[in-house]
Amino acid sequence: MWTGDWRENVWQEVERPYDIVIVGGGITGAGILREAVRLGLRALLVEQKDFAWGTSSRSSKLVHGGLRYLKEGKIGLTRASVLEREHLLEEGPGLIDPLGFLLATYKSDKTGRLVFRAGLTVYDLLALQWSHKYYSPRDFQMLAPHLTTEGLKGGFRYGDAQTDDARLVLRVIAEAVAEGGVAINYVAAESVLREENGRVTGLLVRDQLTNQTARVTARVVVSATGAWADELRGQVGGEAKIRPLRGSHLVFRSWRLPVAQAISFLHPIDQRPVMIFPWEGVTLVGTTDVDHHKALDKEPCISPEETAYLLAAVDSQFPSLGITLSDVVAAFAGVRPVIGSGKEDPSEESRDHVVWVEDGLLTVTGGKLTTFRLIALDALKEVRHLLPDLPELDENLPVLNPVDVALSSESLPDEVRRRLLGRYGTLAPALTAAARSGELEVIPGTQTIWAELRWAARAEAVVHLDDLLLRRVRLGILLPEGGAALLPRVQAICQEELGWDDGRWQSEQAAYLALVRGCYSVPDAALIPDWRAMLAEAAQNEWAKAAEGADGKWQRPLQFAFALLLGLVFVWWMRGRYSPAREITMR
Ligand SMILES: Cc1cc2nc3c(=O)[nH]c(=O)nc-3n(C[C@H](O)[C@H](O)[C@H](O)COP(=O)(O)OP(=O)(O)OC[C@H]3O[C@@H](n4cnc5c(N)ncnc54)[C@H](O)[C@@H]3O)c2cc1C
C-alpha cells in the first residue's frame, strides 16, 4: 500500500480535483476519510507531520464512556461512547480490548457508596450490560494488592476498554486507502484557496520533505486539525475558539507499579479523577489538565509540576511501594482540542466535539477518540449541505472491516496472533511473511514483535525514526531512553527497508534521542517540586476542613441528584433517541 514510490505517485496526482480534502491525520481525519471513501467520494487526507502525530497518539488510550461525563450529566455523550466501545470491542479484538476498572471506597470519601453504585448502574445500563460489582475490603485487596488499605471500605469493579491510539488511526487510514482513499503524511495545508465570492475551494499544500507546493482543489475542504483548528479558520475570518489543554502521563515499569486493571481515584490535591492502568506491558499514570501556552507545532512535554502531581497521585494510592523518579520509564504529553468558554478550571471545559462551517470550510474538532466514527458521520451530515448529491449515509456499517484472514498458530502464540490481526487487519499475514529469522519473537519488556518494525518500515509510510518508534510501534514510550539499547538492530532494519545510508541513520538517531530526552522523559529532578510535601499539605487541608465539619455536606444532595439522574436516564433511554453533541455555525 505505502511501498516503493508511493509518495511520489500521490504527489503527482495531488492536483487532480477531489470531492473532499481532509486536513489532519489524527483519528478525526482518519474517520472522515474512512466514511467518505465508503460513500464513494474521491477523498484525499493530508497530514503536516506523521499520521497520529498530534493528540491521537498521546491520549490515555481508553475506549470508554467516561464516568466523568456521566457525572457532568452528559448522558448522550456517555451513551454514544459506551455503544461505540461495544462495537469496537466486537470488531477490533487485539486492537481494542476489555479493561477492568477498580474504584475503591474509603471512610474519608465525600461521595458515598450509593452514589458510586447509582453512577455505575447507569453507566452499565447505557451499554445494555451489567459489569459492575462491589467487593469487600479483603476481596478488593486481592484485586489491587498494593493499594493503600487505610480507611478502605471496599470497592467496585466495572468494565471498559483500551486501545493503541496511534495504531487505531493507522488501521482506519489503511482501510480507507485500501478502498481507494488517498492519504499522505508530511504534507501541510498552508492556506485555503478561495473563489472571488470568498468560498473555500481548495488548499495550497506543501510537501515538508521536498518543499514543493501544490494547489489542491476539492468540492469540500474539511479541517480535522484538532488543537490547530483555529489556524485555518483564522484564514476565513473565524474567531479563535480553541483553548489548548495539555494532558500528560508517566510510564512506569510494571514490576515497580503492578496493576492488573485500572485504578481510578480522585487526586488528593484537587479531587480530579486520575488513573493508574496497565497498557502494553507497562503501567501508565495520568492525566493532568493544564493550559498549554507553548507553540503547537512543537512537541508538547510534561512540566516539572505535572510530574510532581502524577507522582503524588501514585504515592497517595501506593505508599508502600516507595516509588521514586527513577522508576519512571518515560513520559508523554498531548494537547486536548477543547472549545474554550472562559472557565477558570480547565477541567470544567466541555469535551464535546463541534462542527463549524465558515465560507465553505468545514471544521470538526474536540470530542473523543472513542466516538471518532460518530464525529465523522456528524461532519459528513454537514457536508451534505455543501454536496447535495452526497449518497445517503449508512450509520450501521461496522466501524472496522471484518478480518477474514488467519495466521498460522504453529509459530505464534495466541496473544500475538490476536494482537497482529487487531492492529494490522487483513495485512497481518503479509507482516508475518516478511519476518526474518527471530523476528517473530517478542521484544523483552513489551508485547511488540520485531517483525512489526520491519513491516512498518517497509509498508507504513515511515519517514523518520520517531514515526517508527513512537507511533508505528510504541517502543519509544515503553522502554527506558526510548529503547536506545535496541537501536543497533533497528538500524539494520531501517537501512535495509528504508535505504538509509550511515549518514542518514546517524542524523535520524541523533534527532530521535534528542526528542526522547526532551519530550518523552521526565524533566530534570532538580526542577520537580517535592510531591510528598504537596501530599502532606493536601492532607493537612483535608483535616482542617473535616474539623470545620465541612465533610459530608454534599453527600445527600449528590446522592439525590444521582438517583434523579438514574430516573431521567431511564425515561430518556426508553425513548431510544441519541443526538451527538455538536454546534453548527453556518456562514
Ligand atoms: C491527555 C489526553 C488523554 C485523552 N484520553 C482519551 C481517552 O482515553 N479516550 C478518548 O476517547 N479520548 C481521549 N482523549 C481525546 C482524544 O485523544 C482526542 O479527542 C483525539 O485524539 C483528537 O483527534 P483529532 O484527530 O481531532 O486531533 P489530532 O490527533 O491532534 O489530529 C490533528 C492533526 O492535524 C494535523 N494538522 C494540523 N494542522 C495541519 C495543517 N495545516 N496541515 C496538515 N495537517 C495539520 C496535526 O499535525 C495533527 O496530527 C484524550 C486527549 C488527551 C489530550
Side-chain angles (χ1 to χ4, degrees):
M1 187 170 60
W2 283 311
T3 46
D5 295 334
W6 75 273
R7 279 192 73 84
E8 292 73 14
N9 295 340
V10 169
W11 186 255
Q12 264 170 22
E13 298 264 300
V14 87
E15 289 198 340
R16 73 175 194 170
Y18 286 92
D19 291 320
I20 182 167
V21 56
I22 300 144
V23 187
I27 193 65
T28 307
I32 297 170
L33 179 72
R34 178 79 195 91
E35 297 303 324
V37 169
R38 279 180 164 158
L39 289 175
L41 300 182
R42 281 167 302 149
L44 167 73
L45 179 149
V46 294
E47 161 57 50
Q48 63 181 356
K49 301 215 182 207
D50 185 27
F51 299 128
W53 176 85
T55 314
S56 298
S57 57
R58 303 156 191 273
S59 77
S60 301
K61 295 137 194 20
L62 300 177
V63 173
H64 65 154
L67 269 182
R68 60 163 286 191
Y69 305 112
L70 190 60
K71 189 170 150 246
E72 289 163 10
K74 304 231 156 101
I75 294 166
L77 178 61
T78 313
R79 185 183 189 219
S81 307
V82 291
L83 292 180
E84 285 305 286
R85 177 193 72 198
E86 294 306 296
H87 285 306
L88 286 163
L89 276 170
E90 201 182 313
E91 293 164 14
L95 176 58
I96 301 102
D97 286 312
L99 176 67
F101 271 74
L102 300 177
L103 196 63
T105 56
Y106 291 99
K107 286 191 185 122
S108 57
D109 281 349
K110 295 185 185 110
T111 308
R113 190 164 118 188
L114 190 64
V115 177
F116 287 129
R117 193 183 288 285
L120 290 171
T121 304
V122 174
Y123 196 60
D124 270 349
L125 287 179
L126 290 173
L128 305 181
Q129 63 173 25
W130 195 268
S131 77
H132 71 279
K133 188 174 167 196
Y134 189 76
Y135 291 87
S136 69
R138 193 138 59 101
D139 289 347
F140 198 77
Q141 275 175 54
M142 309 269 274
L143 295 174
H146 304 281
L147 193 70
T148 180
T149 50
E150 208 185 310
L152 184 69
K153 288 203 311 195
F156 290 93
R157 184 194 179 280
Y158 65 96
D160 248 320
Q162 69 179 169
T163 188
D164 176 335
D165 45 6
R167 290 296 337 172
L168 180 63
V169 173
L170 255 290
R171 173 136 177 219
V172 175
I173 294 182
E175 287 189 358
V177 171
E179 288 173 27
V182 183
I184 184 165
N185 54 357
Y186 291 95
V187 170
E190 282 199 342
S191 55
V192 293
L193 305 177
R194 310 176 78 172
E195 275 173 354
E196 268 173 24
N197 63 8
R199 197 176 177 285
V200 174
T201 54
L203 296 162
L204 180 74
V205 300
R206 184 178 297 274
D207 185 332
Q208 305 292 83
L209 307 179
T210 62
N211 213 22
Q212 283 176 296
T213 57
R215 295 167 73 84
V216 175
T217 52
R219 295 169 71 201
V220 181
V221 177
V222 175
S223 165
T225 48
W228 293 259
D230 284 341
E231 290 176 9
L232 284 181
R233 291 186 53 244
Q235 295 182 21
V236 294
E239 178 197 329
K241 291 190 178 174
I242 302 291
R243 177 176 181 183
L245 295 178
R246 188 173 64 244
S248 301
H249 290 81
L250 292 178
V251 183
F252 289 83
R253 292 172 177 84
S254 57
W255 61 268
R256 277 301 281 133
L257 185 51
V259 289
Q261 26 205 338
I263 317 271
S264 179
F265 57 98
L266 297 181
H267 197 296
I269 292 177
D270 59 2
Q271 306 300 307
R272 275 189 60 254
V274 181
M275 285 170 307
I276 300 178
F277 54 105
W279 182 73
E280 289 280 299
V282 294
T283 301
L284 301 188
V285 181
T287 165
T288 56
D289 204 12
V290 296
D291 281 303
H292 181 71
H293 299 296
K294 305 254 166 70
L296 285 174
D297 59 346
K298 298 275 177 305
E299 290 263 351
C301 316
I302 191 169
S303 70
E305 292 72 24
E306 289 172 279
T307 309
Y309 177 88
L310 293 177
L311 286 165
V314 177
D315 232 13
S316 73
Q317 300 302 297
F318 293 98
S320 66
L321 293 180
I323 288 292
T324 67
L325 203 55
S326 62
D327 295 315
V328 181
V329 176
F332 61 93
V335 182
R336 289 187 183 83
V338 167
I339 317 308
S341 68
K343 295 219 164 74
E344 195 184 326
D345 179 356
S347 297
E348 283 180 13
E349 296 282 18
S350 165
R351 265 57 174 165
D352 289 350
H353 75 277
V354 292
V355 181
W356 294 303
V357 185
E358 293 153 315
D359 290 348
L361 174 71
L362 195 150
T363 301
V364 190
T365 187
K368 294 166 63 182
L369 193 81
T370 309
T371 47
F372 77 89
R373 183 189 64 125
L374 299 178
I375 296 174
L377 291 174
D378 215 19
L380 287 169
K381 281 177 199 158
E382 290 320 307
V383 166
R384 183 175 300 284
H385 296 294
L386 306 165
L387 290 185
D389 56 343
L390 191 74
E392 272 305 308
L393 283 169
D394 182 350
E395 300 191 23
N396 297 317
L397 290 173
V399 189
L400 300 170
N401 281 353
V403 179
D404 50 6
V405 297
L407 286 177
S408 138
S409 57
E410 283 150 33
S411 47
L412 292 171
D414 281 355
E415 66 278 7
V416 175
R417 273 191 301 143
R418 181 182 159 87
R419 171 192 167 85
L420 295 181
L421 290 169
R423 282 169 164 71
Y424 302 90
T426 50
L427 296 170
L431 182 153
T432 52
R436 299 279 165 80
S437 160
E439 289 185 349
L440 294 179
E441 272 157 33
V442 172
I443 299 171
T446 76
Q447 296 164 2
T448 310
I449 62 168
W450 280 103
E452 292 181 70
L453 279 92
R454 180 172 298 284
W455 177 253
R458 183 178 297 180
E460 291 200 322
V462 166
V463 172
H464 292 297
L465 187 56
D466 62 303
D467 304 341
L468 178 66
L469 296 182
L470 286 168
R471 288 171 290 277
R472 301 303 178 281
V473 296
R474 316 306 296 270
L475 300 183
I477 53 173
L478 295 172
L479 295 171
E481 294 161 45
L486 303 178
L487 288 180
R489 195 161 166 186
V490 176
Q491 174 181 4
I493 292 175
C494 287
Q495 292 200 307
E496 194 177 337
E497 299 294 341
L498 292 160
W500 291 350
D501 61 17
D502 288 349
R504 173 75 188 267
W505 170 259
Q506 291 307 333
S507 67
E508 288 289 341
Q509 176 174 262
Y512 173 69
L513 291 176
L515 177 65
V516 166
R517 270 193 305 275
C519 288
Y520 291 87
S521 308
V522 282
D524 186 346
L527 302 174
I528 298 175
D530 179 348
W531 68 90
R532 295 202 173 93
M534 286 161 59
L535 273 181
E537 195 185 323
Q540 214 153 27
N541 292 344
E542 277 306 302
W543 289 329
K545 268 197 231 157
E548 283 167 20
D551 261 8
K553 197 167 102 187
W554 295 106
Q555 189 159 324
R556 276 178 186 283
L558 263 175
Q559 287 178 351
F560 175 73
F562 256 104
L564 191 68
L565 188 63
L566 188 64
L568 285 174
V569 169
F570 256 105
V571 173
W572 169 84
W573 180 51
M574 296 301 278
R575 289 169 65 203
R577 284 217 325 247
Y578 158 62
S579 153
R582 65 198 170 124
E583 179 185 305
I584 311 290
T585 305
M586 281 286 198
R587 271 218 318 257

